[in-house]
Amino acid sequence: MAEQYAISGTSAKGIAASVERGVAEGGLAPGDTLPPVRRLADDLGVSPGTVATAYKELRGRGVVVTHGRGGTVVAAAPSVASRRPPKVPERLRDLAGGHPDPAFLPELPAPVRMTAGARSHRSTPRLPLLEERVQEWLGADGVPSGSVTFAHSALDCVARLLTTELRPGDAVAMEDPGYHHLLDLVQVMGLRTVPVAVDDEGMRPEALREALRAGARAVVCSPRAQNPYGGCFSERRRDDLVEVLRGAPEVLVIENDHAAEIAGAPLYSLTAGGRLARWAHVRTVTKYLGTDLRWAAAACDPATLARHDGRLLLTSGWVSHLLQGTVLGLLTDRMARELVHRARDAYAERRSALAGELERRGIASHGASGMNLWVPVRDESAVVNGLRSRGWWVAAGARFRIASGAGVRITSAGLKPTEAARLAADFAEVLGESEATYGG
């Protein structure tokens, strides 16, 4: 239990504010255990009910989580102090960030010129030309695109969708290993994460079925370029997952196609054919048009779209028309499209080159699509530190995992094929040293 920070307050709100301040300022760290309700009540001279109400409020805001007899602890990624990846040390090759190669990002055009004066953004939140382009784009991949909307990013869209459908304490089926920001987002919203194991074809049907039996009210998944494992739905896997989901028509299915144009794999969308009752397909462009383009498109069933847009109207109201105009310009620019196609081919070549070099040395990896490889290891810290000593910086798998085995994620997007052999050789040496130290 954290003893260095003294919680204060004489009301539930005051106690909650004190804990939140301690988390924000670092006095309470992720994983620190808060005092039991009765002990803190005695210390502060308040009733146990007052402390219990404060803890309940903190849980609802994602600041703390309760583990039964394990007590109440500060969340791993508390909403008042969002976790950031560690800073890359100087002179190390960064293969941990999940970023695209800047050489394949098109140059952003000058800001779109808009007419002067007030514009009715609330009555026309989406530029008609961009809306039409998105409908064509999604429809060409088999996604029902009659109802589309925009958001400020995939995370923004997913958060709004979950907020309109779920309440604190509800369960969400999530990929394991999965995208750490999505895992953190679900946690800080006060929702419960139910892990769903993945393989090279994405979510495993039997694992999804178990998650639904455990009470999951929403499912968040990636149809291709799954982060960090790299899985992509095959047609058969897609159909098997749909069959599982059709047994739970009230569950909201959110499909995050974050790397669509550079995934290096076709899309087999769960939404195709209209077989799901509640669904949303979210697509972004930051990985191949520009990391500052915080824009997302979503196709949804009509009820889900109405709930999303109703909540959007009450907050930011709309996505900037300047941003929409920039995205439209890039989506329709021939040179930008050609650069994206080159990026897709280069990422596939680089991913395959590293996987092949690792395989030559007896090291299994996973990366059927996207920009990353997942390499199962026994000791993440030993591998990360060993590669660091050789000039490489890779991501420890702990922040991507719920219940799955250890591993490291390597972003291969910027790794030239000529460099793959050196990294694989260093990786093999590090594994050998690790086994010599800790046993085979």
Side-chain angles (χ1 to χ4, degrees):
M1 183 179 70
E3 301 289 353
Q4 72 275 20
Y5 182 80
I7 299 172
S8 61
T10 57
S11 66
K13 287 191 177 297
I15 295 168
S18 174
V19 172
E20 189 167 331
R21 185 166 55 251
V23 173
E25 294 175 354
L28 291 170
D32 281 351
T33 303
L34 301 188
V37 168
R38 290 190 178 278
R39 182 191 304 172
L40 184 58
D42 289 342
D43 291 344
L44 298 179
V46 300
S47 72
T50 298
V51 176
T53 299
Y55 283 9
K56 180 179 179 181
E57 181 178 338
L58 290 165
R59 284 196 301 273
R61 294 209 302 274
V63 179
V64 303
V65 294
T66 298
H67 297 309
R69 296 194 177 194
T72 298
V73 303
V74 178
S79 57
V80 294
S82 181
R83 176 175 55 186
R84 298 283 183 179
K87 185 177 180 181
V88 181
E90 292 184 8
R91 294 184 295 279
L92 291 189
R93 184 67 182 282
D94 182 10
L95 303 178
H99 305 304
D101 186 339
F104 292 114
L105 295 178
E107 185 175 343
L108 294 182
V112 178
R113 187 178 182 86
M114 305 295 289
T115 58
R119 291 175 294 278
S120 182
H121 294 91
R122 288 184 180 271
S123 62
T124 311
R126 294 178 291 277
L127 293 181
L129 288 178
L130 181 56
E131 188 169 13
E132 292 174 10
R133 178 69 185 88
V134 166
Q135 289 176 319
E136 295 171 358
W137 185 28
L138 298 178
D141 282 335
V143 178
S145 56
S147 301
V148 300
T149 189
F150 300 159
H152 297 96
S153 67
L155 289 172
D156 174 66
C157 187
V158 171
R160 193 172 294 109
L161 290 167
L162 293 177
T163 299
T164 63
E165 297 291 332
L166 278 63
R167 297 294 177 266
D170 286 345
V172 183
M174 305 287 291
E175 296 164 330
D176 182 25
Y179 182 40
H180 59 98
H181 285 311
L182 274 173
L183 296 175
D184 290 349
L185 174 66
V186 167
Q187 185 178 72
V188 302
M189 292 177 67
L191 303 171
R192 292 188 295 114
T193 299
V194 181
V196 179
V198 301
D199 58 24
D200 292 329
E201 295 183 70
M203 274 188 168
R204 294 168 52 187
E206 65 276 14
L208 177 59
R209 184 177 287 109
E210 288 301 315
L212 295 177
R213 287 173 179 165
R217 293 193 55 208
V219 177
V220 181
C221 62
S222 300
R224 51 186 171 178
Q226 193 274 343
N227 188 356
Y229 208 86
C232 52
F233 292 164
S234 64
E235 185 175 9
R236 179 171 180 176
R237 174 60 58 85
R238 184 270 312 274
D239 291 344
D240 289 346
L241 291 171
V242 168
E243 190 61 30
V244 172
L245 291 165
R246 289 182 69 184
E250 73 286 353
V251 170
L252 174 63
V253 179
I254 303 174
E255 198 171 60
N256 179 21
D257 194 19
H258 65 95
E261 298 302 303
I262 48 108
L267 175 67
Y268 293 104
S269 174
L270 299 172
T271 70
R275 293 181 286 175
L276 300 180
R278 302 298 313 285
W279 59 272
H281 177 92
V282 184
R283 190 171 290 188
T284 52
V285 298
T286 53
K287 295 297 186 185
Y288 46 92
L289 291 184
T291 53
D292 270 341
L293 296 178
R294 311 309 296 172
W295 172 87
C300 315
D301 70 84
T304 298
L305 182 137
R307 294 174 185 179
H308 173 277
D309 283 5
R311 187 62 60 90
L312 178 66
L313 184 65
L314 295 173
T315 53
S316 60
W318 65 87
V319 175
S320 163
H321 281 194
L322 290 172
L323 175 58
Q324 291 187 46
T326 301
V327 172
L328 175 62
L330 289 170
L331 286 177
T332 55
D333 182 80
R334 180 182 59 83
M335 293 183 65
R337 290 199 306 271
E338 291 177 355
L339 188 58
V340 169
H341 292 159
R342 283 163 44 201
R344 176 198 61 202
D345 296 342
Y347 293 157
E349 180 186 16
R350 295 171 183 184
R351 188 179 66 248
S352 297
L354 179 56
E357 292 293 344
L358 290 170
E359 184 179 16
R360 282 183 53 206
R361 292 162 176 81
I363 303 171
S365 65
H366 302 275
S369 59
M371 303 190 305
N372 303 296
L373 273 79
W374 178 261
V375 186
V377 299
R378 178 180 177 184
D379 188 307
E380 293 178 1
S381 295
V383 171
V384 170
N385 290 327
L387 289 175
R388 175 178 178 172
S389 68
R390 290 163 172 79
W392 308 102
W393 186 246
V394 302
R399 59 193 176 119
F400 303 95
R401 298 188 287 109
I402 307 171
S404 58
V408 296
R409 189 191 73 173
I410 303 175
T411 299
S412 58
L415 187 74
K416 303 292 176 57
T418 53
E419 302 172 294
R422 182 166 69 88
L423 173 57
D426 287 343
F427 205 116
E429 288 184 9
V430 168
L431 288 182
E433 293 173 0
S434 175
E435 290 186 359
T437 302
Y438 300 106

